[in-house]
Amino acid sequence: MPDQFDRASQLEEEERKRSLDAQRNRTNFDKPSLENCEDCDGPIPKERQAFGGVTRCVECQGFFEKTGR
Ligand SMILES: [Zn+2]
């Protein structure tokens, strides 16, 4: 078997990882952070706001990431 298949599946694997990372880092760092969570309206800690593009509090972001939505 030519190693073309290996390379293809390797690429596929990398692509999958990349899109997972993209999903995880879906926050838009170009945008300013919100001071209150868009989901529960709770306060977002300043340290968290510093990342940029933060729109959810820790709990809601965790939930958001777990559900993948
Ligand atoms: Zn929240």
Side-chain angles (χ1 to χ4, degrees), residues 24-62 64-65:
R24 220 169 290 147
N25 303 322
R26 198 119 51 123
T27 42
N28 189 341
F29 295 108
D30 294 336
K31 285 184 185 165
S33 297
L34 299 178
E35 285 180 20
N36 291 90
C37 173
E38 66 175 7
D39 283 356
C40 72
D41 210 33
I44 297 174
K46 282 266 183 292
E47 312 89 78
R48 197 166 157 68
Q49 289 180 34
F51 285 116
V54 178
T55 58
R56 288 180 181 86
C57 70
V58 183
E59 285 103 290
C60 292
Q61 184 64 32
F64 172 79
E65 281 170 12

PDB file of all heavy atoms in Angstrom, residues 24-62 64-65:
ATOM      1  N   ARG A  24     -13.280  25.057  20.562  1.00  0.00           N
ATOM      2  CA  ARG A  24     -12.970  25.374  21.946  1.00  0.00           C
ATOM      3  C   ARG A  24     -12.648  26.854  22.101  1.00  0.00           C
ATOM      4  O   ARG A  24     -12.950  27.470  23.088  1.00  0.00           O
ATOM      5  CB  ARG A  24     -11.788  24.516  22.402  1.00  0.00           C
ATOM      6  CG  ARG A  24     -11.956  24.007  23.803  1.00  0.00           C
ATOM      7  CD  ARG A  24     -10.903  22.964  24.114  1.00  0.00           C
ATOM      8  NE  ARG A  24     -11.112  21.725  23.399  1.00  0.00           N
ATOM      9  CZ  ARG A  24     -10.135  20.927  22.980  1.00  0.00           C
ATOM     10  NH1 ARG A  24      -8.883  21.231  23.180  1.00  0.00           N
ATOM     11  NH2 ARG A  24     -10.416  19.809  22.355  1.00  0.00           N
ATOM     12  N   ASN A  25     -11.971  27.381  21.093  1.00  0.00           N
ATOM     13  CA  ASN A  25     -11.549  28.783  21.179  1.00  0.00           C
ATOM     14  C   ASN A  25     -12.473  29.685  20.370  1.00  0.00           C
ATOM     15  O   ASN A  25     -12.026  30.594  19.720  1.00  0.00           O
ATOM     16  CB  ASN A  25     -10.116  28.939  20.660  1.00  0.00           C
ATOM     17  CG  ASN A  25      -9.163  28.052  21.410  1.00  0.00           C
ATOM     18  OD1 ASN A  25      -9.307  27.877  22.621  1.00  0.00           O
ATOM     19  ND2 ASN A  25      -8.208  27.487  20.711  1.00  0.00           N
ATOM     20  N   ARG A  26     -13.743  29.348  20.410  1.00  0.00           N
ATOM     21  CA  ARG A  26     -14.680  30.087  19.569  1.00  0.00           C
ATOM     22  C   ARG A  26     -14.829  31.543  19.987  1.00  0.00           C
ATOM     23  O   ARG A  26     -15.362  32.354  19.243  1.00  0.00           O
ATOM     24  CB  ARG A  26     -16.055  29.408  19.600  1.00  0.00           C
ATOM     25  CG  ARG A  26     -16.949  29.830  18.468  1.00  0.00           C
ATOM     26  CD  ARG A  26     -17.340  28.672  17.609  1.00  0.00           C
ATOM     27  NE  ARG A  26     -17.862  27.561  18.424  1.00  0.00           N
ATOM     28  CZ  ARG A  26     -19.062  27.049  18.242  1.00  0.00           C
ATOM     29  NH1 ARG A  26     -19.862  27.576  17.358  1.00  0.00           N
ATOM     30  NH2 ARG A  26     -19.451  26.011  18.925  1.00  0.00           N
ATOM     31  N   THR A  27     -14.386  31.867  21.200  1.00  0.00           N
ATOM     32  CA  THR A  27     -14.478  33.262  21.629  1.00  0.00           C
ATOM     33  C   THR A  27     -13.699  34.128  20.665  1.00  0.00           C
ATOM     34  O   THR A  27     -12.652  33.745  20.167  1.00  0.00           O
ATOM     35  CB  THR A  27     -13.903  33.445  23.046  1.00  0.00           C
ATOM     36  OG1 THR A  27     -12.711  32.683  23.150  1.00  0.00           O
ATOM     37  CG2 THR A  27     -14.899  33.003  24.093  1.00  0.00           C
ATOM     38  N   ASN A  28     -14.243  35.280  20.402  1.00  0.00           N
ATOM     39  CA  ASN A  28     -13.616  36.184  19.440  1.00  0.00           C
ATOM     40  C   ASN A  28     -12.714  37.169  20.181  1.00  0.00           C
ATOM     41  O   ASN A  28     -13.181  38.072  20.854  1.00  0.00           O
ATOM     42  CB  ASN A  28     -14.708  36.934  18.678  1.00  0.00           C
ATOM     43  CG  ASN A  28     -14.132  37.730  17.529  1.00  0.00           C
ATOM     44  OD1 ASN A  28     -12.930  38.017  17.502  1.00  0.00           O
ATOM     45  ND2 ASN A  28     -14.949  38.096  16.588  1.00  0.00           N
ATOM     46  N   PHE A  29     -11.420  36.963  20.044  1.00  0.00           N
ATOM     47  CA  PHE A  29     -10.476  37.758  20.825  1.00  0.00           C
ATOM     48  C   PHE A  29     -10.339  39.194  20.329  1.00  0.00           C
ATOM     49  O   PHE A  29      -9.725  40.006  20.981  1.00  0.00           O
ATOM     50  CB  PHE A  29      -9.108  37.081  20.838  1.00  0.00           C
ATOM     51  CG  PHE A  29      -9.142  35.767  21.556  1.00  0.00           C
ATOM     52  CD1 PHE A  29      -9.058  34.586  20.856  1.00  0.00           C
ATOM     53  CD2 PHE A  29      -9.289  35.727  22.936  1.00  0.00           C
ATOM     54  CE1 PHE A  29      -9.103  33.363  21.521  1.00  0.00           C
ATOM     55  CE2 PHE A  29      -9.341  34.519  23.615  1.00  0.00           C
ATOM     56  CZ  PHE A  29      -9.251  33.326  22.900  1.00  0.00           C
ATOM     57  N   ASP A  30     -10.913  39.475  19.163  1.00  0.00           N
ATOM     58  CA  ASP A  30     -10.848  40.842  18.665  1.00  0.00           C
ATOM     59  C   ASP A  30     -11.888  41.729  19.330  1.00  0.00           C
ATOM     60  O   ASP A  30     -11.783  42.940  19.318  1.00  0.00           O
ATOM     61  CB  ASP A  30     -11.081  40.868  17.157  1.00  0.00           C
ATOM     62  CG  ASP A  30      -9.949  40.178  16.426  1.00  0.00           C
ATOM     63  OD1 ASP A  30      -8.848  40.123  16.998  1.00  0.00           O
ATOM     64  OD2 ASP A  30     -10.174  39.706  15.310  1.00  0.00           O
ATOM     65  N   LYS A  31     -12.886  41.068  19.887  1.00  0.00           N
ATOM     66  CA  LYS A  31     -13.971  41.846  20.485  1.00  0.00           C
ATOM     67  C   LYS A  31     -13.699  42.077  21.965  1.00  0.00           C
ATOM     68  O   LYS A  31     -13.082  41.246  22.621  1.00  0.00           O
ATOM     69  CB  LYS A  31     -15.287  41.086  20.348  1.00  0.00           C
ATOM     70  CG  LYS A  31     -15.840  41.118  18.941  1.00  0.00           C
ATOM     71  CD  LYS A  31     -17.191  40.431  18.936  1.00  0.00           C
ATOM     72  CE  LYS A  31     -17.715  40.331  17.505  1.00  0.00           C
ATOM     73  NZ  LYS A  31     -18.822  39.371  17.427  1.00  0.00           N
ATOM     74  N   PRO A  32     -14.203  43.178  22.484  1.00  0.00           N
ATOM     75  CA  PRO A  32     -14.046  43.414  23.920  1.00  0.00           C
ATOM     76  C   PRO A  32     -14.906  42.440  24.702  1.00  0.00           C
ATOM     77  O   PRO A  32     -15.934  41.970  24.214  1.00  0.00           O
ATOM     78  CB  PRO A  32     -14.530  44.843  24.105  1.00  0.00           C
ATOM     79  CG  PRO A  32     -15.436  45.103  22.953  1.00  0.00           C
ATOM     80  CD  PRO A  32     -14.919  44.262  21.822  1.00  0.00           C
ATOM     81  N   SER A  33     -14.494  42.141  25.907  1.00  0.00           N
ATOM     82  CA  SER A  33     -15.262  41.239  26.749  1.00  0.00           C
ATOM     83  C   SER A  33     -16.478  41.954  27.328  1.00  0.00           C
ATOM     84  O   SER A  33     -16.493  43.169  27.471  1.00  0.00           O
ATOM     85  CB  SER A  33     -14.397  40.738  27.902  1.00  0.00           C
ATOM     86  OG  SER A  33     -13.319  40.000  27.419  1.00  0.00           O
ATOM     87  N   LEU A  34     -17.481  41.148  27.639  1.00  0.00           N
ATOM     88  CA  LEU A  34     -18.642  41.697  28.339  1.00  0.00           C
ATOM     89  C   LEU A  34     -18.348  41.723  29.838  1.00  0.00           C
ATOM     90  O   LEU A  34     -17.514  40.965  30.329  1.00  0.00           O
ATOM     91  CB  LEU A  34     -19.875  40.827  28.080  1.00  0.00           C
ATOM     92  CG  LEU A  34     -20.326  40.684  26.633  1.00  0.00           C
ATOM     93  CD1 LEU A  34     -21.529  39.751  26.566  1.00  0.00           C
ATOM     94  CD2 LEU A  34     -20.656  42.018  26.027  1.00  0.00           C
ATOM     95  N   GLU A  35     -19.044  42.605  30.542  1.00  0.00           N
ATOM     96  CA  GLU A  35     -18.855  42.646  31.995  1.00  0.00           C
ATOM     97  C   GLU A  35     -19.793  41.679  32.682  1.00  0.00           C
ATOM     98  O   GLU A  35     -19.570  41.270  33.816  1.00  0.00           O
ATOM     99  CB  GLU A  35     -19.076  44.068  32.514  1.00  0.00           C
ATOM    100  CG  GLU A  35     -17.900  44.975  32.174  1.00  0.00           C
ATOM    101  CD  GLU A  35     -18.102  46.385  32.694  1.00  0.00           C
ATOM    102  OE1 GLU A  35     -18.925  46.575  33.602  1.00  0.00           O
ATOM    103  OE2 GLU A  35     -17.433  47.285  32.168  1.00  0.00           O
ATOM    104  N   ASN A  36     -20.877  41.340  31.970  1.00  0.00           N
ATOM    105  CA  ASN A  36     -21.829  40.385  32.528  1.00  0.00           C
ATOM    106  C   ASN A  36     -22.090  39.259  31.534  1.00  0.00           C
ATOM    107  O   ASN A  36     -22.146  39.483  30.328  1.00  0.00           O
ATOM    108  CB  ASN A  36     -23.146  41.090  32.875  1.00  0.00           C
ATOM    109  CG  ASN A  36     -22.987  42.040  34.036  1.00  0.00           C
ATOM    110  OD1 ASN A  36     -22.672  43.211  33.836  1.00  0.00           O
ATOM    111  ND2 ASN A  36     -23.147  41.544  35.237  1.00  0.00           N
ATOM    112  N   CYS A  37     -22.267  38.082  32.074  1.00  0.00           N
ATOM    113  CA  CYS A  37     -22.486  36.898  31.263  1.00  0.00           C
ATOM    114  C   CYS A  37     -23.736  37.049  30.395  1.00  0.00           C
ATOM    115  O   CYS A  37     -24.776  37.489  30.869  1.00  0.00           O
ATOM    116  CB  CYS A  37     -22.623  35.702  32.196  1.00  0.00           C
ATOM    117  SG  CYS A  37     -23.101  34.203  31.367  1.00  0.00           S
ATOM    118  N   GLU A  38     -23.604  36.691  29.125  1.00  0.00           N
ATOM    119  CA  GLU A  38     -24.750  36.845  28.227  1.00  0.00           C
ATOM    120  C   GLU A  38     -25.813  35.784  28.489  1.00  0.00           C
ATOM    121  O   GLU A  38     -26.939  35.904  28.046  1.00  0.00           O
ATOM    122  CB  GLU A  38     -24.296  36.802  26.761  1.00  0.00           C
ATOM    123  CG  GLU A  38     -23.751  35.448  26.341  1.00  0.00           C
ATOM    124  CD  GLU A  38     -23.418  35.404  24.862  1.00  0.00           C
ATOM    125  OE1 GLU A  38     -23.478  36.444  24.201  1.00  0.00           O
ATOM    126  OE2 GLU A  38     -23.114  34.294  24.390  1.00  0.00           O
ATOM    127  N   ASP A  39     -25.434  34.730  29.192  1.00  0.00           N
ATOM    128  CA  ASP A  39     -26.398  33.667  29.474  1.00  0.00           C
ATOM    129  C   ASP A  39     -27.135  33.876  30.792  1.00  0.00           C
ATOM    130  O   ASP A  39     -28.351  33.773  30.854  1.00  0.00           O
ATOM    131  CB  ASP A  39     -25.693  32.304  29.497  1.00  0.00           C
ATOM    132  CG  ASP A  39     -25.391  31.800  28.097  1.00  0.00           C
ATOM    133  OD1 ASP A  39     -25.804  32.491  27.129  1.00  0.00           O
ATOM    134  OD2 ASP A  39     -24.751  30.756  27.965  1.00  0.00           O
ATOM    135  N   CYS A  40     -26.386  34.141  31.864  1.00  0.00           N
ATOM    136  CA  CYS A  40     -27.027  34.233  33.181  1.00  0.00           C
ATOM    137  C   CYS A  40     -26.958  35.642  33.751  1.00  0.00           C
ATOM    138  O   CYS A  40     -27.483  35.901  34.817  1.00  0.00           O
ATOM    139  CB  CYS A  40     -26.383  33.246  34.156  1.00  0.00           C
ATOM    140  SG  CYS A  40     -24.731  33.738  34.663  1.00  0.00           S
ATOM    141  N   ASP A  41     -26.291  36.550  33.031  1.00  0.00           N
ATOM    142  CA  ASP A  41     -26.173  37.944  33.461  1.00  0.00           C
ATOM    143  C   ASP A  41     -25.344  38.091  34.732  1.00  0.00           C
ATOM    144  O   ASP A  41     -25.334  39.147  35.348  1.00  0.00           O
ATOM    145  CB  ASP A  41     -27.557  38.568  33.667  1.00  0.00           C
ATOM    146  CG  ASP A  41     -27.515  40.067  33.393  1.00  0.00           C
ATOM    147  OD1 ASP A  41     -26.724  40.479  32.519  1.00  0.00           O
ATOM    148  OD2 ASP A  41     -28.247  40.802  34.058  1.00  0.00           O
ATOM    149  N   GLY A  42     -24.640  37.041  35.103  1.00  0.00           N
ATOM    150  CA  GLY A  42     -23.753  37.124  36.250  1.00  0.00           C
ATOM    151  C   GLY A  42     -22.493  37.882  35.881  1.00  0.00           C
ATOM    152  O   GLY A  42     -22.173  38.011  34.701  1.00  0.00           O
ATOM    153  N   PRO A  43     -21.783  38.388  36.873  1.00  0.00           N
ATOM    154  CA  PRO A  43     -20.564  39.150  36.604  1.00  0.00           C
ATOM    155  C   PRO A  43     -19.442  38.253  36.076  1.00  0.00           C
ATOM    156  O   PRO A  43     -19.281  37.114  36.517  1.00  0.00           O
ATOM    157  CB  PRO A  43     -20.199  39.749  37.966  1.00  0.00           C
ATOM    158  CG  PRO A  43     -20.820  38.827  38.963  1.00  0.00           C
ATOM    159  CD  PRO A  43     -22.056  38.270  38.315  1.00  0.00           C
ATOM    160  N   ILE A  44     -18.703  38.759  35.122  1.00  0.00           N
ATOM    161  CA  ILE A  44     -17.536  38.050  34.603  1.00  0.00           C
ATOM    162  C   ILE A  44     -16.304  38.639  35.277  1.00  0.00           C
ATOM    163  O   ILE A  44     -16.103  39.855  35.239  1.00  0.00           O
ATOM    164  CB  ILE A  44     -17.434  38.205  33.067  1.00  0.00           C
ATOM    165  CG1 ILE A  44     -18.659  37.573  32.393  1.00  0.00           C
ATOM    166  CG2 ILE A  44     -16.155  37.559  32.550  1.00  0.00           C
ATOM    167  CD1 ILE A  44     -18.719  37.808  30.895  1.00  0.00           C
ATOM    168  N   PRO A  45     -15.496  37.802  35.924  1.00  0.00           N
ATOM    169  CA  PRO A  45     -14.313  38.308  36.638  1.00  0.00           C
ATOM    170  C   PRO A  45     -13.379  39.074  35.698  1.00  0.00           C
ATOM    171  O   PRO A  45     -13.242  38.717  34.526  1.00  0.00           O
ATOM    172  CB  PRO A  45     -13.641  37.036  37.158  1.00  0.00           C
ATOM    173  CG  PRO A  45     -14.669  35.964  37.086  1.00  0.00           C
ATOM    174  CD  PRO A  45     -15.629  36.356  36.008  1.00  0.00           C
ATOM    175  N   LYS A  46     -12.753  40.109  36.246  1.00  0.00           N
ATOM    176  CA  LYS A  46     -11.845  40.950  35.459  1.00  0.00           C
ATOM    177  C   LYS A  46     -10.737  40.134  34.795  1.00  0.00           C
ATOM    178  O   LYS A  46     -10.382  40.364  33.641  1.00  0.00           O
ATOM    179  CB  LYS A  46     -11.209  42.013  36.364  1.00  0.00           C
ATOM    180  CG  LYS A  46     -12.119  43.182  36.674  1.00  0.00           C
ATOM    181  CD  LYS A  46     -11.890  44.326  35.697  1.00  0.00           C
ATOM    182  CE  LYS A  46     -12.754  45.543  36.036  1.00  0.00           C
ATOM    183  NZ  LYS A  46     -14.204  45.306  35.810  1.00  0.00           N
ATOM    184  N   GLU A  47     -10.210  39.139  35.534  1.00  0.00           N
ATOM    185  CA  GLU A  47      -9.128  38.317  34.974  1.00  0.00           C
ATOM    186  C   GLU A  47      -9.616  37.615  33.719  1.00  0.00           C
ATOM    187  O   GLU A  47      -8.859  37.379  32.787  1.00  0.00           O
ATOM    188  CB  GLU A  47      -8.656  37.247  35.972  1.00  0.00           C
ATOM    189  CG  GLU A  47      -8.389  37.760  37.366  1.00  0.00           C
ATOM    190  CD  GLU A  47      -9.649  37.707  38.205  1.00  0.00           C
ATOM    191  OE1 GLU A  47     -10.029  36.634  38.673  1.00  0.00           O
ATOM    192  OE2 GLU A  47     -10.246  38.789  38.386  1.00  0.00           O
ATOM    193  N   ARG A  48     -10.894  37.260  33.748  1.00  0.00           N
ATOM    194  CA  ARG A  48     -11.482  36.547  32.623  1.00  0.00           C
ATOM    195  C   ARG A  48     -11.725  37.506  31.460  1.00  0.00           C
ATOM    196  O   ARG A  48     -11.488  37.168  30.300  1.00  0.00           O
ATOM    197  CB  ARG A  48     -12.784  35.912  33.086  1.00  0.00           C
ATOM    198  CG  ARG A  48     -13.275  34.851  32.188  1.00  0.00           C
ATOM    199  CD  ARG A  48     -14.355  34.024  32.837  1.00  0.00           C
ATOM    200  NE  ARG A  48     -15.141  33.399  31.791  1.00  0.00           N
ATOM    201  CZ  ARG A  48     -14.666  32.454  30.992  1.00  0.00           C
ATOM    202  NH1 ARG A  48     -13.444  32.012  31.162  1.00  0.00           N
ATOM    203  NH2 ARG A  48     -15.400  31.950  30.037  1.00  0.00           N
ATOM    204  N   GLN A  49     -12.193  38.682  31.788  1.00  0.00           N
ATOM    205  CA  GLN A  49     -12.438  39.694  30.755  1.00  0.00           C
ATOM    206  C   GLN A  49     -11.156  40.020  30.000  1.00  0.00           C
ATOM    207  O   GLN A  49     -11.188  40.375  28.826  1.00  0.00           O
ATOM    208  CB  GLN A  49     -12.975  40.975  31.387  1.00  0.00           C
ATOM    209  CG  GLN A  49     -14.392  40.858  31.915  1.00  0.00           C
ATOM    210  CD  GLN A  49     -14.845  42.176  32.537  1.00  0.00           C
ATOM    211  OE1 GLN A  49     -14.469  43.245  32.071  1.00  0.00           O
ATOM    212  NE2 GLN A  49     -15.621  42.100  33.595  1.00  0.00           N
ATOM    213  N   ALA A  50     -10.040  39.889  30.708  1.00  0.00           N
ATOM    214  CA  ALA A  50      -8.748  40.260  30.130  1.00  0.00           C
ATOM    215  C   ALA A  50      -8.399  39.428  28.900  1.00  0.00           C
ATOM    216  O   ALA A  50      -7.594  39.855  28.073  1.00  0.00           O
ATOM    217  CB  ALA A  50      -7.651  40.125  31.178  1.00  0.00           C
ATOM    218  N   PHE A  51      -8.995  38.248  28.774  1.00  0.00           N
ATOM    219  CA  PHE A  51      -8.717  37.410  27.601  1.00  0.00           C
ATOM    220  C   PHE A  51      -9.223  38.059  26.320  1.00  0.00           C
ATOM    221  O   PHE A  51      -8.713  37.823  25.243  1.00  0.00           O
ATOM    222  CB  PHE A  51      -9.385  36.042  27.749  1.00  0.00           C
ATOM    223  CG  PHE A  51      -8.687  35.146  28.712  1.00  0.00           C
ATOM    224  CD1 PHE A  51      -9.305  34.736  29.876  1.00  0.00           C
ATOM    225  CD2 PHE A  51      -7.395  34.717  28.442  1.00  0.00           C
ATOM    226  CE1 PHE A  51      -8.657  33.899  30.767  1.00  0.00           C
ATOM    227  CE2 PHE A  51      -6.739  33.875  29.336  1.00  0.00           C
ATOM    228  CZ  PHE A  51      -7.372  33.469  30.500  1.00  0.00           C
ATOM    229  N   GLY A  52     -10.269  38.855  26.446  1.00  0.00           N
ATOM    230  CA  GLY A  52     -10.874  39.473  25.279  1.00  0.00           C
ATOM    231  C   GLY A  52     -11.923  38.575  24.670  1.00  0.00           C
ATOM    232  O   GLY A  52     -11.755  37.369  24.584  1.00  0.00           O
ATOM    233  N   GLY A  53     -13.020  39.175  24.251  1.00  0.00           N
ATOM    234  CA  GLY A  53     -14.069  38.415  23.603  1.00  0.00           C
ATOM    235  C   GLY A  53     -14.799  37.453  24.501  1.00  0.00           C
ATOM    236  O   GLY A  53     -15.481  36.548  24.029  1.00  0.00           O
ATOM    237  N   VAL A  54     -14.669  37.642  25.813  1.00  0.00           N
ATOM    238  CA  VAL A  54     -15.355  36.762  26.754  1.00  0.00           C
ATOM    239  C   VAL A  54     -16.798  37.238  26.917  1.00  0.00           C
ATOM    240  O   VAL A  54     -17.034  38.401  27.224  1.00  0.00           O
ATOM    241  CB  VAL A  54     -14.643  36.751  28.121  1.00  0.00           C
ATOM    242  CG1 VAL A  54     -15.404  35.865  29.102  1.00  0.00           C
ATOM    243  CG2 VAL A  54     -13.220  36.275  27.966  1.00  0.00           C
ATOM    244  N   THR A  55     -17.730  36.344  26.695  1.00  0.00           N
ATOM    245  CA  THR A  55     -19.133  36.736  26.790  1.00  0.00           C
ATOM    246  C   THR A  55     -19.898  35.926  27.832  1.00  0.00           C
ATOM    247  O   THR A  55     -21.077  36.146  28.033  1.00  0.00           O
ATOM    248  CB  THR A  55     -19.841  36.548  25.437  1.00  0.00           C
ATOM    249  OG1 THR A  55     -19.723  35.190  25.029  1.00  0.00           O
ATOM    250  CG2 THR A  55     -19.230  37.448  24.373  1.00  0.00           C
ATOM    251  N   ARG A  56     -19.200  34.971  28.457  1.00  0.00           N
ATOM    252  CA  ARG A  56     -19.887  34.135  29.449  1.00  0.00           C
ATOM    253  C   ARG A  56     -19.057  34.019  30.719  1.00  0.00           C
ATOM    254  O   ARG A  56     -17.830  34.067  30.665  1.00  0.00           O
ATOM    255  CB  ARG A  56     -20.107  32.726  28.904  1.00  0.00           C
ATOM    256  CG  ARG A  56     -21.152  32.655  27.837  1.00  0.00           C
ATOM    257  CD  ARG A  56     -21.309  31.236  27.362  1.00  0.00           C
ATOM    258  NE  ARG A  56     -22.296  31.163  26.310  1.00  0.00           N
ATOM    259  CZ  ARG A  56     -22.018  31.374  25.028  1.00  0.00           C
ATOM    260  NH1 ARG A  56     -20.796  31.659  24.658  1.00  0.00           N
ATOM    261  NH2 ARG A  56     -22.974  31.307  24.135  1.00  0.00           N
ATOM    262  N   CYS A  57     -19.742  33.804  31.840  1.00  0.00           N
ATOM    263  CA  CYS A  57     -19.039  33.549  33.080  1.00  0.00           C
ATOM    264  C   CYS A  57     -18.444  32.134  33.031  1.00  0.00           C
ATOM    265  O   CYS A  57     -18.731  31.365  32.109  1.00  0.00           O
ATOM    266  CB  CYS A  57     -19.986  33.699  34.269  1.00  0.00           C
ATOM    267  SG  CYS A  57     -21.218  32.397  34.390  1.00  0.00           S
ATOM    268  N   VAL A  58     -17.645  31.814  34.012  1.00  0.00           N
ATOM    269  CA  VAL A  58     -16.947  30.524  34.008  1.00  0.00           C
ATOM    270  C   VAL A  58     -17.930  29.354  33.915  1.00  0.00           C
ATOM    271  O   VAL A  58     -17.745  28.434  33.124  1.00  0.00           O
ATOM    272  CB  VAL A  58     -16.078  30.374  35.269  1.00  0.00           C
ATOM    273  CG1 VAL A  58     -15.303  29.070  35.238  1.00  0.00           C
ATOM    274  CG2 VAL A  58     -15.123  31.545  35.406  1.00  0.00           C
ATOM    275  N   GLU A  59     -18.974  29.399  34.728  1.00  0.00           N
ATOM    276  CA  GLU A  59     -19.939  28.300  34.745  1.00  0.00           C
ATOM    277  C   GLU A  59     -20.619  28.130  33.396  1.00  0.00           C
ATOM    278  O   GLU A  59     -20.706  27.023  32.868  1.00  0.00           O
ATOM    279  CB  GLU A  59     -21.013  28.529  35.809  1.00  0.00           C
ATOM    280  CG  GLU A  59     -20.549  28.301  37.230  1.00  0.00           C
ATOM    281  CD  GLU A  59     -20.296  29.628  37.913  1.00  0.00           C
ATOM    282  OE1 GLU A  59     -19.317  30.311  37.545  1.00  0.00           O
ATOM    283  OE2 GLU A  59     -21.083  30.001  38.782  1.00  0.00           O
ATOM    284  N   CYS A  60     -21.097  29.215  32.845  1.00  0.00           N
ATOM    285  CA  CYS A  60     -21.826  29.133  31.574  1.00  0.00           C
ATOM    286  C   CYS A  60     -20.892  28.724  30.449  1.00  0.00           C
ATOM    287  O   CYS A  60     -21.284  27.957  29.565  1.00  0.00           O
ATOM    288  CB  CYS A  60     -22.498  30.461  31.251  1.00  0.00           C
ATOM    289  SG  CYS A  60     -23.836  30.841  32.378  1.00  0.00           S
ATOM    290  N   GLN A  61     -19.652  29.205  30.476  1.00  0.00           N
ATOM    291  CA  GLN A  61     -18.701  28.819  29.438  1.00  0.00           C
ATOM    292  C   GLN A  61     -18.403  27.332  29.541  1.00  0.00           C
ATOM    293  O   GLN A  61     -18.331  26.627  28.539  1.00  0.00           O
ATOM    294  CB  GLN A  61     -17.407  29.635  29.570  1.00  0.00           C
ATOM    295  CG  GLN A  61     -16.397  29.374  28.461  1.00  0.00           C
ATOM    296  CD  GLN A  61     -16.914  29.802  27.097  1.00  0.00           C
ATOM    297  OE1 GLN A  61     -17.681  30.748  26.991  1.00  0.00           O
ATOM    298  NE2 GLN A  61     -16.523  29.098  26.055  1.00  0.00           N
ATOM    299  N   GLY A  62     -18.277  26.845  30.777  1.00  0.00           N
ATOM    300  CA  GLY A  62     -18.032  25.426  30.987  1.00  0.00           C
ATOM    301  C   GLY A  62     -19.182  24.595  30.445  1.00  0.00           C
ATOM    302  O   GLY A  62     -18.984  23.600  29.764  1.00  0.00           O
ATOM    303  N   PHE A  64     -21.365  25.557  28.223  1.00  0.00           N
ATOM    304  CA  PHE A  64     -21.364  25.791  26.778  1.00  0.00           C
ATOM    305  C   PHE A  64     -20.379  24.851  26.084  1.00  0.00           C
ATOM    306  O   PHE A  64     -20.689  24.238  25.070  1.00  0.00           O
ATOM    307  CB  PHE A  64     -20.975  27.250  26.534  1.00  0.00           C
ATOM    308  CG  PHE A  64     -20.746  27.604  25.091  1.00  0.00           C
ATOM    309  CD1 PHE A  64     -21.821  27.838  24.249  1.00  0.00           C
ATOM    310  CD2 PHE A  64     -19.461  27.737  24.586  1.00  0.00           C
ATOM    311  CE1 PHE A  64     -21.615  28.178  22.928  1.00  0.00           C
ATOM    312  CE2 PHE A  64     -19.251  28.079  23.264  1.00  0.00           C
ATOM    313  CZ  PHE A  64     -20.331  28.302  22.433  1.00  0.00           C
ATOM    314  N   GLU A  65     -19.193  24.712  26.674  1.00  0.00           N
ATOM    315  CA  GLU A  65     -18.173  23.856  26.067  1.00  0.00           C
ATOM    316  C   GLU A  65     -18.542  22.382  26.190  1.00  0.00           C
ATOM    317  O   GLU A  65     -18.259  21.591  25.306  1.00  0.00           O
ATOM    318  CB  GLU A  65     -16.819  24.129  26.712  1.00  0.00           C
ATOM    319  CG  GLU A  65     -16.193  25.389  26.148  1.00  0.00           C
ATOM    320  CD  GLU A  65     -14.975  25.825  26.937  1.00  0.00           C
ATOM    321  OE1 GLU A  65     -14.487  25.048  27.770  1.00  0.00           O
ATOM    322  OE2 GLU A  65     -14.513  26.949  26.711  1.00  0.00           O
TER     323      GLU A  65
END
